[in-house]
Amino acid sequence: MFSQLFNSMADIPFEHDYKCYPVSFMAGENRKDVDTGGKIIMPPSALDAVTRLNIPYPLLFSLRNPVADRTTHCGVLEFVAEEGRIYIPYWMFRNLCLQEGQRVTVKSGNLPKGDFVKFQPQSPEFIDIHNPKAVLERVLRKFACLTKGDTISLNYNNHEYELCVLECKPADAISIIECDLNVDFAEPIGYVPPTKQRAPVEEDEPAPLVVDSAFSAFAGQGNVLGRRKKKITTDSAVSPNVIIRGPDLDFKIGKIVFTRAIPVVGGGDGFEAGFEAFTGSGNTIKQKRKK
């Protein structure tokens, strides 16, 4: 399928054999970020060749190992490699089953823009990431294309995760540059779903609730503002020692009542026995002079 896309591009597409090496073999510790992307480093002569052939951008290439008959696709990062050599990420090195210094065929071409890709994490640790889609979106900015069957590598929080490309649409190899890509995840390899634990069965029945027979809820009497209080009869079930509290709802204009005793229900007219109001002698502050 990829060869058909190449033949439709140009009459003489770019094609060359290079000795292949991992990126870390050339760059050492300073280019670790390149090792987790999807782009390769090529010699300056490759840039001169694709310029003369008037190949449109973005530049996409297929890498094929004729010995193992494995093919993948990539973009180009820089044209600074030694002549006759290319440097590729280590995960791509493993997918092609290459050895250092082995020759691969590099061919330019064009890929359709992708609209869907499905990944399968190679370990259950990937689901521990807080937002895997956001992390993957940031990592895929270093990629130019994806190929079905490849196992890509991404680095997050100093930990390396591997994802297998299970499915690509609309083709088995797609370009992911400036496109709206829908991402889905399959169940990670080795993932064991958690089992639901049954609630323990209580063998002993709970003790019955004991209610005090002497307790009676809401046995008192309520007062409503704006209504006349009902007269309490002696036949009422309320205890005679209950003190009636609240305002005098029988008050009338022009009537003054001086009460010194606490009214008690069931106590006759509501006053203490033997109480008389205004008894005793009074004294005036200014007395009349005797003549």
Side-chain angles (χ1 to χ4, degrees), residues 23-73:
V23 172
S24 57
F25 186 82
M26 177 191 97
E29 298 294 330
N30 296 329
R31 302 302 296 272
K32 279 188 174 182
D33 57 329
V34 182
D35 208 26
T36 57
K39 299 179 181 180
I40 65 175
I41 299 175
M42 302 182 69
S45 60
L47 176 61
D48 182 65
V50 296
T51 303
R52 287 186 289 103
L53 292 173
N54 197 21
I55 297 177
Y57 287 83
L59 297 177
L60 301 178
F61 298 91
S62 72
L63 304 180
R64 182 176 182 273
N65 180 8
V67 177
D69 194 19
R70 301 291 294 272
T71 303
T72 188
H73 308 92

Side-chain angles (χ1 to χ4, degrees), residues 7 75 89 91 112 131 154 168 173 177 188 205 218 252:
N7 295 333
W91 66 265
N131 192 345
L154 61 91
C168 292
I177 299 177
E205 295 183 358
F218 303 103
K252 295 181 181 180

Side-chain angles (χ1 to χ4, degrees), residues 20 29 56 65 98 155 183 216 232 249 267 275 281:
C20 188
E29 298 294 330
N65 180 8
L98 290 171
N155 189 286
V183 178
S216 178
I232 303 174
L249 300 180
F275 172 77
S281 61

Side-chain angles (χ1 to χ4, degrees), residues 112-115 174-182:
K113 289 189 176 181
D115 54 24
I174 57 174
S175 171
I176 60 173
I177 299 177
E178 296 181 356
C179 67
D180 295 330
L181 190 66
N182 296 319

